[in-house]
Amino acid sequence: MTTADQRTAAQTERDRQREEWALCSAAWRRHRGAFTGPGRAITEGMLRLAAPRPGERALDLASGVGNPALALAARVAPGGHVLGLDLSPEMVAEATAVAAEEGVTNVEFRTVPDEGALGVPDGGHDLATCRAGLQYMPDRPAAVRAVHAALRPGGRFVVMTLGAAERCVPFRLTNGIVSRHVPLPAVDPEAGPGPVSLSSLDELTGLLADAGFTRIRTEVFEAPIFEAPDAASAWDLFTETAGPFLKLFAALPPETRKAMDEDAVRVFTEAFPEGPVRPTGEILLACGTKPA
């Protein structure tokens, strides 16, 4: 594939993602508590490695509806500021609304045209975070290089990704449910952008090192991904927030969708017979420092 072809493919992927995130952005805001509370261990792990201090300026890439940007904003107050960046205008609008509702005034959210064009001056930030976003980016090296340029010497960048699908209960369960009812293409889940497409710690740390980060530290642990009170609520959560599947679900014949829904409730009930539904996954964290 030529460089021009690669750029075209990358832009096509970004356009597809914008469309998918637009479909589910309101649901991500509506269900935000189902992820932020159970996922507190993930956020705390990222903040522990980032070591934010009052007065610092921070970037949050692929900010979605504001996690961990809003938690980060509390750590850099007073005097500090967080800029959340995302491809999706709809996600930015939802994150801005959440910040207003929660009275967080030292955070701003903006859209970016792509992961390599952050629209910030070089050396103007003290730290950066990216939670479950780098794996979706078509040009990951460009994203990490852009963060490196945006940080001052001594600045820290913390990235969180997920382990392989077999080590992430939500994906293992939902992939099985969907595939039993809908013929899906035989695609390697780690071959292109996707939720578990950056599940190698070596690859993750290599991206940081190649961009010039040093003193790289890592953590691997298991943590809850979300929580729902019961099996039906867990499946509703997935079907409303899983952007890549929303068009597929909408196009299903009623009888197929009914059978899938019933199958999903059975599967989640068997996996969590005593409730609530609180599936866990393998969490990968990596933190690099820009040399002084």
Side-chain angles (χ1 to χ4, degrees):
M1 184 181 291
T2 67
T3 301
D5 289 339
Q6 290 175 336
R7 289 173 180 161
T8 299
Q11 190 56 50
T12 298
E13 174 64 23
R14 293 183 196 103
D15 291 342
R16 181 185 66 80
Q17 290 184 16
R18 284 191 182 93
E19 180 182 11
E20 292 171 354
W21 294 126
L23 292 173
C24 64
S25 59
W28 272 96
R29 178 183 171 190
R30 187 167 63 252
H31 293 296
R32 185 171 176 270
F35 295 96
T36 55
R40 186 172 291 110
I42 301 172
T43 300
E44 289 300 320
M46 295 182 70
L47 296 182
R48 182 174 60 254
L49 289 176
R53 295 182 287 270
E56 291 192 316
R57 297 182 63 81
L59 288 173
D60 182 42
L61 276 67
S63 205
V65 292
N67 190 21
L70 295 172
L72 186 56
R75 299 294 182 92
V76 298
H81 184 269
V82 178
L83 175 59
L85 303 173
D86 202 279
L87 277 178
S88 167
E90 290 80 7
M91 284 290 192
V92 165
E94 298 293 354
T96 300
V98 172
E101 289 172 356
E102 297 187 1
V104 182
T105 59
N106 64 329
V107 64
E108 176 190 357
F109 296 95
R110 298 182 198 164
T111 58
V112 291
D114 63 65
E115 59 273 22
L118 305 185
V120 297
D122 289 352
H125 289 79
D126 300 287
L127 66 133
T129 55
C130 184
R131 175 174 173 153
L134 191 60
Q135 60 262 49
Y136 288 97
M137 298 179 187
D139 194 346
R140 296 164 185 163
V144 182
R145 289 194 302 268
V147 171
H148 187 274
L151 293 176
R152 64 164 179 80
R156 297 86 67 199
F157 182 30
V158 179
V159 179
M160 171 260 166
T161 68
L162 294 168
E166 62 268 20
R167 296 193 293 276
C168 290
V169 176
F171 298 112
R172 190 168 71 240
L173 296 181
T174 56
N175 287 351
I177 293 164
V178 175
S179 65
R180 279 193 292 275
H181 299 271
V182 182
L184 298 176
V187 176
D188 179 358
E190 299 185 7
V196 292
S197 64
L198 185 52
S199 58
S200 163
L201 199 60
D202 287 343
E203 183 180 358
L204 182 57
T205 57
L207 284 166
L208 293 174
D210 289 346
F213 286 99
T214 60
R215 295 164 53 193
I216 297 172
R217 296 167 289 154
T218 63
E219 292 186 14
V220 179
F221 57 92
E222 187 173 348
I225 304 299
F226 70 83
E227 181 175 320
D230 51 53
S233 299
W235 180 241
D236 286 344
L237 181 68
F238 173 72
T239 59
E240 293 176 20
T241 60
F245 287 97
L246 295 189
K247 293 175 77 173
L248 169 67
F249 292 149
L252 290 177
E255 60 273 17
T256 302
R257 179 60 191 269
K258 182 175 184 293
M260 186 185 292
D261 291 348
E262 292 172 349
D263 187 15
V265 171
R266 176 187 61 79
V267 167
F268 277 108
T269 299
E270 290 177 353
F272 301 91
E274 298 179 3
V277 177
R278 193 179 171 91
T280 61
E282 184 179 65
I283 308 303
L284 311 182
L285 298 182
C287 176
T289 300
K290 183 173 179 175

